């Protein structure tokens, strides 16, 4: 058994302090040299870094994270390491007899991932020294970041074993390719760390990168000496340890001080001692020294006792092993801070299964206590969705939800329901405002004014006609049809109020009925009148006998027959499609949802409106045709010319209405323009009829009653005879204005009257 050295004994498990078992023997193994220099015969993992190797004065290329004498598994000799942290040593299929009192780098990687997440960094780069320690550490960090999610690797750079000139400058340039990844995770040896910091200073990137170093950086001064400004803010991690007083020197007369692993060396030795003591107690009870059951020691049995060890270590922490032989992960977290030109590593937290980080103790260059950003993409604003970059979940493009879309979640935009529009920040939907034509709207002022004046004028004419019902002028105008015509004119004006009233079931039903009915009544009465005149004078061309159906009763029957067709069509419409109000959200669905409006209206489409007014238009056109045909009839016999002027003007009004109404179907103010145009056109049509047909009569009745007297009476036969005679004397009509024609017979008959003043000619019983 070699001379007792706690570090050597704990590493290979060959001996224990004499106080335990002075005569312990384990099957021999050719592992006698504990520190080897780099050579072709050694495994690659056995000589890759400096660290603990430097403590024993060996080559700086020995990896401190691997045991200095890793025994083959066939030897079945348990080993306890005080410094080996490589993650792959936790693999029981390869290293099932290996245990360690220091935590695996897997815990270190988990702690670093937790720190990154606590600082809200999601986009980081990694730098590793080529070799087992650096590559395994970075690999463990990347694996943990993937498992936990929320952290992406921007760049993963490897430092070669023998870097060429300019290699570290190249590394800094590569890190700057993803400049948003300001946090850099470093698993490297001291020399590589220092050279990376120097390259960052040469690239004038002081303060740009924020470093997070593994336990190889820890709280060492060497990597940051004279590079304090570049390293400021660096966060490092180190297995939790304490200073062991009176045991910090290898020998009493030696000036060499341990780096800080004495605690773990002592814990490793005592772990082996506790395991052997427990094994001796069980296998050799009451015996002093070895019994046959422990001579030699069974390595497999000893391993079980090692894995069951549980005692308080030299630092007061429990010393235990898990099923893989790993010690619990316990780390102190440091930050390298510059305060008042003084640099120091300050403890800012710890990690034991989970993170305890005191962010208020942290200090960052340029931003104080506020942690800097190391993110790939800025958070999207409300109303924007993330479009993740393929293969990089932490990077995304922010795309605004457009049109009528709102943000459902971070990655999805969805169209609002048809009756809603997005809120201002597009995080939800809100109802689209509903509009209708209000009574106080400027668009309603003119239609209402015309309607009120027209109704007043119509009532005035009706009252006048009723008051002077038996006067010659009233009789000559055809009292029965006049009252029917005035009723139609009144309904035309009244329709304006229905068109402006709030649409509901009652209002929409009345609109269907009266919008076309008023015009149908008016033009049916005028058509009956012009048709009667036309038939009388056409009959006079052939004979002196009176045509049929020219009596007042017949005229009323014809008029109401024409009106009944309109009512029949309305009834069929009600049966096929019952009336109701609707809110049309498509009518004013603008590209910008802020200006979208729902229009409350009756269910009368443009096509339905054409059909509704189409019959009235047909009556109007037919009446105009008859007015043209009777334009040459002697004016003293009929109202053909006033009716003609009325129809010509009405046609002009409706010809102007059609392009305005249908040409504004795509306008944002369609509701107002079309309603105003329709009501004004209907009111103007009624006003033309009222003004040209009745106002002259009212004027004579009220202001020239002397003209409202019968001049002479004529029988219907005389009238027809006069009409027949007028057709024989039409040559003089060519010299009269507007094509007016009078027969010489009529002129001779009317000579006494015309000699004084032109007057209206009235007829009793058979007014034309």
């Amino acid at each position: 058994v070699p001379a007792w050295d706690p570090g050597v004994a704990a590493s290979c498990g060959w001996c224990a302090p004499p106080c335990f078992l002075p005569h312990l023997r384990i099957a021999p193994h050719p592992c006698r040299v504990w520190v080897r220099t780099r050579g072709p015969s050694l495994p690659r993992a056995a000589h890759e870094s400096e660290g603990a190797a430097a403590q024993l004065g060996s080559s700086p290329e020995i990896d401190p994270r691997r045991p200095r004498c890793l025994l083959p598994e066939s030897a079945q000799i348990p080993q306890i390491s005080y410094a080996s942290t490589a993650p792959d040593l936790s693999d029981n299929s390869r290293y099932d007899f290996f245990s360690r009192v220091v935590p695996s780098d897997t815990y270190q990687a988990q702690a670093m991932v937790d720190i990154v997440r606590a600082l809200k960094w999601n986009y980081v780069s990694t730098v590793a020294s080529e070799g087992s320690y650096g590559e395994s550490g970075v690999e463990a960090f990347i694996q943990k970041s993937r498992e936990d999610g929320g952290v992406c690797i921007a760049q993963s750079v490897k430092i070669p074993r023998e870097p060429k000139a300019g290699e570290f400058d190249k590394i800094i340039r590569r890190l700057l390719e993803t400049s948003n990844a300001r946090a850099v995770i470093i698993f490297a040896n001291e020399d590589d760390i220092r050279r990376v910091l120097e390259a960052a200073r040469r690239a004038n990137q002081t303060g740009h990168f924020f470093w997070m170093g593994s336990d190889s950086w820890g709280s060492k001064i060497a990597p940051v000496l004279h590079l304090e400004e570049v390293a400021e803010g660096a966060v490092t991690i180190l297995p939790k340890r304490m200073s062991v007083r009176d045991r910090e020197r290898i020998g009493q007369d030696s000036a060499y001080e341990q780096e800080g692993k004495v605690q773990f060396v002592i814990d490793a030795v005592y772990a082996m001692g506790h395991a052997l003591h427990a094994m001796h107690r069980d296998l050799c009870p009451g015996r002093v020294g070895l019994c046959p059951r422990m001579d030699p020691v069974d390595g497999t049995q000893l391993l079980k006792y090692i894995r069951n060890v549980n005692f308080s270590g030299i630092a007061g922490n429990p010393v235990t092993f898990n099923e893989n032989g790993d010690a619990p992960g316990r780390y102190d977290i440091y930050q390298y801070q510059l305060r008042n030109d003084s640099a120091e590593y300050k403890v800012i937290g710890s990690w034991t299964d989970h993170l305890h980080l005191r962010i208020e103790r942290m200090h960052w260059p340029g931003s104080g206590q506020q942690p800097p950003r190391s993110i790939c993409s800025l958070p999207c604003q409300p109303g924007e969705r993330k479009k993740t970059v393929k293969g990089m979940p932490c990077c995304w493009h922010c795309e605004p939800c457009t049109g009528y879309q709102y943000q459902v979640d971070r990655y999805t935009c969805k169209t609002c329901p048809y009756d809603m529009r997005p809120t201002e920040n597009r995080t939800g939907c809100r109802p689209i405002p509903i509009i209708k034509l209000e009574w106080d709207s400027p668009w309603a002022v003119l239609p209402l004014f015309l309607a009120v004046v027209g109704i007043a004028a119509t009532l005035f004419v009706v009252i006048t006609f009723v008051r002077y019902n038996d006067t010659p002028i009233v009789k000559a105008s055809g009292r029965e049809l006049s009252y029917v015509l005035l009723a139609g004119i009144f309904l035309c004006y009244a329709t304006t109020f229905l068109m402006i009233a709030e649409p509901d079931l009652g209002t929409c039903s009345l609109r269907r009925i009266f919008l076309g009915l008023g015009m149908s009544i008016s033009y049916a009465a005028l058509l009956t009148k012009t048709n009667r005149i036309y038939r009388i004078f056409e009959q006079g061309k052939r004979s002196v006998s009176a045509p049929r159906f020219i009596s007042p009763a017949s005229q009323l029957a014809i008029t109401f027959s024409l009106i009944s067709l309109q009512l029949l069509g309305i009834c069929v419409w009600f049966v096929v499609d019952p009336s109701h109000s609707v809110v049309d959200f498509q009518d004013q669905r603008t590209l910008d949802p802020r200006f979208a409006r729902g229009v409350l209206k009756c269910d009368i489409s443009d096509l339905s409106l054409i059909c509704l007014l189409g019959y009235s238009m047909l009556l109007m056109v037919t009446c105009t045709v008859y007015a043209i045909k009777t334009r040459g009839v002697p004016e003293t016999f009929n109202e053909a010319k006033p009716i003609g002027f009325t129809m010509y003007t009405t046609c002009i009004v409706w010809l102007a209405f059609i392009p305005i109404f249908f040409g504004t179907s795509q306008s944002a103010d369609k509701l107002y323009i079309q309603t105003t145009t329709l009501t004004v056109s209907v009111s103007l049509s009624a006003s033309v009829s009222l003004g040209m047909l009745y106002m002259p009569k009212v004027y004579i009745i009220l202001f020239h009653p002397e003209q409202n007297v019968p001049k002479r009476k004529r029988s219907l036969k005389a009238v027809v005879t006069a009409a027949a005679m007028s057709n024989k004397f039409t040559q003089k009509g060519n010299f009269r204005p507007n094509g007016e024609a009078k027969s010489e017979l009529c002129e001779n008959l009317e000579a006494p009257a015309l000699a004084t003043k032109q007057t209206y000619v009235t007829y009793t019983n058979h007014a034309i």
Side-chain angles (χ1 to χ4, degrees), residues 6-15 26 29-34 36 46 66-84 89 91-92 94-102 264 267-269 271-273 275-276 297-307 309 321-322 324-327:
V8 174
S11 295
C12 269
W14 274 31
C15 66
I26 302 179
H29 190 272
C31 181
R32 291 292 192 272
V33 180
W34 300 100
R36 294 185 180 180
R66 317 254 329 164
R68 286 181 285 279
C69 182
L70 188 60
L71 300 179
E73 297 306 310
S74 60
Q76 295 187 349
I77 299 177
Q79 298 171 274
I80 301 177
S81 173
Y82 64 86
S84 300
L89 293 173
D91 186 359
N92 265 338
R94 298 170 58 193
Y95 311 108
D96 53 341
F97 282 84
F98 181 82
S99 302
R100 48 189 167 185
V101 292
V102 288
F264 302 114
D267 287 345
V269 172
M272 181 64 74
L276 290 171
V297 172
D298 185 347
T300 303
Q301 279 188 310
L302 179 58
L303 178 64
K304 294 179 181 179
Y305 283 97
I306 291 175
R307 296 293 170 86
V309 163
F321 302 98
N322 62 14
N324 296 323
D326 294 332

Side-chain angles (χ1 to χ4, degrees), residues 69 213 452 492 496 667 705 719 747:
C69 182
V452 170
C492 288
T496 298
S667 172
V719 172
E747 289 178 346

Side-chain angles (χ1 to χ4, degrees), residues 70 126 154 220 226 259 263 277 400 526 602 636 672 675:
L70 188 60
T126 63
K220 298 175 184 176
H226 305 307
E259 181 196 34
Q263 168 195 338
H277 183 74
L526 289 176
C602 293
T636 54
Y672 308 111
T675 303

Side-chain angles (χ1 to χ4, degrees), residues 87-255:
D88 54 350
L89 293 173
S90 298
D91 186 359
N92 265 338
S93 64
R94 298 170 58 193
Y95 311 108
D96 53 341
F97 282 84
F98 181 82
S99 302
R100 48 189 167 185
V101 292
V102 288
S104 166
D105 285 341
T106 302
Y107 295 114
Q108 181 176 207
Q110 181 65 64
M112 298 176 79
V113 169
D114 291 346
I115 296 171
V116 167
R117 291 169 60 88
L119 295 176
K120 298 181 180 179
W121 294 343
N122 68 3
Y123 197 51
V124 300
S125 297
T126 63
V127 176
S129 293
E130 185 177 3
S132 176
Y133 171 68
E135 295 178 35
S136 298
V138 166
E139 183 179 350
F141 178 85
I142 295 174
Q143 180 64 28
K144 289 296 181 181
S145 65
R146 288 175 180 171
E147 292 175 358
D148 294 353
V151 179
C152 297
I153 307 302
Q155 299 279 356
S156 190
V157 183
K158 185 188 299 183
I159 303 174
R161 293 180 186 273
E162 299 177 357
K164 299 177 181 179
E167 185 69 34
F168 289 92
D169 295 328
K170 181 180 178 181
I171 290 174
I172 294 299
R173 287 196 298 271
R174 183 172 174 186
L175 293 177
L176 288 173
E177 291 176 1
T178 51
S179 58
N180 286 344
R182 300 179 66 188
V184 180
I185 312 301
I186 296 185
F187 279 84
N189 58 54
E190 293 181 29
D191 185 59
D192 286 346
I193 293 172
R194 182 173 183 83
R195 295 170 74 178
V196 167
L197 296 179
E198 290 173 344
R201 184 173 63 181
R202 287 195 301 271
N204 196 26
Q205 296 301 319
T206 299
H208 176 78
F209 293 111
F210 297 95
W211 315 97
M212 182 176 292
S214 63
D215 59 348
S216 63
W217 185 336
S219 58
K220 298 175 184 176
I221 298 300
V224 297
L225 187 61
H226 305 307
L227 296 169
E228 290 82 0
E229 292 183 356
V230 183
E232 183 184 3
V235 177
T236 62
I237 190 169
L238 196 63
K240 188 179 289 292
R241 62 180 66 178
M242 66 173 291
S243 176
V244 182
R245 295 182 179 179
D246 302 328
R247 302 183 185 182
E248 294 180 351
R249 302 181 184 276
I250 295 178
Q252 294 181 353
D253 299 330
S254 174

Side-chain angles (χ1 to χ4, degrees), residues 290-545:
L290 296 178
C291 65
R293 298 180 64 183
M294 290 186 65
D295 189 12
V297 172
D298 185 347
T300 303
Q301 279 188 310
L302 179 58
L303 178 64
K304 294 179 181 179
Y305 283 97
I306 291 175
R307 296 293 170 86
N308 291 326
V309 163
N310 190 344
F311 66 95
S312 293
I314 195 68
N317 297 320
V319 177
T320 61
F321 302 98
N322 62 14
E323 65 276 6
N324 296 323
D326 294 332
R330 288 186 290 266
Y331 296 94
D332 285 324
I333 303 170
Y334 298 86
Q335 186 182 38
Y336 189 67
Q337 298 182 358
L338 289 178
R339 295 285 184 92
N340 301 322
D341 297 329
S342 175
E344 64 173 338
Y345 287 98
K346 186 174 181 180
V347 177
I348 58 173
S350 61
W351 190 93
T352 305
D353 293 331
H354 57 277
L355 180 66
H356 299 275
L357 186 64
R358 301 186 64 177
I359 297 181
E360 69 277 5
R361 288 189 175 184
M362 304 182 76
H363 182 78
W364 303 94
S367 59
Q369 292 186 344
Q370 183 66 30
R373 286 181 173 178
S374 183
I375 56 178
C376 181
S377 303
L378 293 174
C380 292
Q381 299 296 321
E384 296 180 341
R385 72 178 185 93
K386 291 182 180 179
K387 186 176 182 181
T388 307
V389 177
K390 187 176 181 180
M392 193 66 67
C394 302
C395 300
W396 57 79
H397 303 294
C398 294
E399 294 184 349
C401 299
T402 58
Y404 288 81
Q405 294 180 332
Y406 71 100
Q407 183 183 5
V408 180
D409 53 39
R410 290 181 298 175
Y411 303 99
T412 309
C413 290
K414 186 178 180 181
T415 303
C416 289
Y418 75 97
D419 58 342
M420 305 186 80
R421 61 178 179 176
T423 56
E424 290 295 332
N425 59 4
R426 293 185 177 272
T427 57
C429 295
R430 56 179 175 171
I432 294 178
I434 298 175
I435 61 171
K436 61 182 184 64
L437 185 59
E438 302 290 344
W439 294 101
D440 57 352
S441 171
W443 294 93
V445 172
L446 180 60
L448 288 175
F449 175 77
L450 293 177
V452 170
V453 173
I455 288 175
T458 303
L459 293 177
F460 179 74
V461 171
V462 171
I463 293 172
T464 302
F465 268 51
V466 171
R467 172 69 178 79
Y468 299 95
N469 189 56
D470 295 326
T471 60
I473 286 183
V474 175
K475 290 181 179 180
S477 63
R479 288 174 296 185
E480 298 78 6
L481 288 182
S482 292
Y483 289 129
V484 172
L485 179 56
L486 288 171
I489 293 173
F490 177 85
L491 290 179
C492 288
Y493 287 124
T495 301
T496 298
F497 296 94
L498 294 176
M499 296 299 295
I500 297 177
E502 180 176 350
D504 54 28
L505 178 61
T507 304
C508 293
S509 300
L510 292 176
R511 283 188 188 181
R512 283 193 181 188
I513 296 173
F514 292 109
L515 181 59
L517 183 61
M519 296 178 63
S520 296
I521 292 174
S522 300
Y523 297 133
L526 289 176
L527 176 60
T528 303
K529 273 192 173 188
T530 54
N531 176 263
R532 179 172 180 254
I533 297 171
Y534 175 76
R535 287 189 295 113
I536 289 174
F537 283 91
E538 283 296 312
Q539 181 70 19
K541 295 178 182 180
R542 295 186 293 271
S543 65
V544 294
S545 60

